[in-house]
Amino acid sequence: KLNLDDAMCALRFQFTALQGALVWDRIDRIARGLDDERTMDQRRADVAFDLLMGKETGAPQGEVKVLVTLPATTLMGMDQEPGMLAGYGPIPADVARDIAAGGTWKRILTDPVTGVAVDMGRTNYRPSAALADLVRARDVTCVAIGCRQPAHRCDLDHCEPFDGTNTIADDLGAKCRRHHVMKHHTRWKRTQLPGGIHI
């Protein structure tokens, strides 16, 4: 515990990457379900306090989840390529396999040369769950330069206005709520090239 000025203090916990991602996801999901004048950081702090004290949080807790991507060869134990924990980065192959053993699997095909997730078409405005997972696995974080918000906490936004045919991976990008709103209400724009590359 670190004592601060103005009768405040800071608490620090050290977890494994997976534990930290799960804890953060639960706190963040509950905080986003609250609708009041507090900032998100204030909501998260209050939610963390309520959870630690065993109190009701006042918002639906939702399903806690993390996204881990790893090659099929690693999953089968044929090599030791690291997995990628969304919002964190590379994790050891054995840790990724342990997570996969207790999780829900979704198959994502990638380009064998670039490793980029393969496109999946859809004509509705909202992407299917499979397409949403594909885009988030590809982007990892918000596509805005310098933004590290994990993709699974981001909106999926059409780079070009929806025309009835472009709900496809090559026109969707993960944008955190702040950058999503910025795109629609300012002159800031992003261009998406094939393979999910944003410029």
Side-chain angles (χ1 to χ4, degrees), residues 68-71 74 79-85 89-94 96-97:
V68 177
T69 57
L70 70 160
T74 301
D79 59 42
Q80 295 297 311
E81 290 296 314
M84 293 294 293
L85 176 61
I91 56 176
D94 58 340
R97 281 192 289 266

Side-chain angles (χ1 to χ4, degrees), residues 4 11-12 22 25 41 51 60 87 110 127 132-133 140 149-150 165 172:
L4 305 174
L11 295 178
R12 180 177 178 179
L22 289 168
D25 189 69
D41 284 342
L51 290 173
T110 58
D133 286 343
V140 182
Q149 184 70 257
T165 65
L172 292 172

Side-chain angles (χ1 to χ4, degrees), residues 59-180:
Q61 298 190 17
E63 179 187 2
V64 178
K65 66 178 181 179
V66 295
L67 298 179
V68 177
T69 57
L70 70 160
T73 50
T74 301
L75 183 62
M76 293 184 290
M78 297 170 61
D79 59 42
Q80 295 297 311
E81 290 296 314
M84 293 294 293
L85 176 61
Y88 177 80
I91 56 176
D94 58 340
V95 174
R97 281 192 289 266
D98 285 344
I99 296 171
T104 301
W105 298 8
K106 292 183 184 271
R107 182 175 64 110
I108 299 175
L109 299 178
T110 58
D111 184 296
V113 176
T114 66
V116 172
V118 174
D119 192 15
M120 293 166 55
R122 184 170 169 82
T123 57
N124 292 339
Y125 179 79
R126 288 188 176 278
S128 67
L131 178 55
D133 286 343
L134 178 82
V135 173
R136 290 187 170 112
R138 179 198 68 200
D139 291 349
V140 182
T141 64
C142 172
V143 298
I145 294 174
C147 184
R148 304 307 299 167
Q149 184 70 257
H152 69 276
R153 296 194 193 109
C154 293
D155 301 330
L156 294 185
D157 182 47
H158 289 85
C159 289
E160 297 297 327
F162 178 64
D163 63 7
T165 65
N166 62 333
T167 301
I168 58 175
D170 276 351
D171 193 61
L172 292 172
K175 293 187 181 74
C176 70
R177 184 54 54 88
R178 183 169 70 92
H179 286 112
H180 192 173

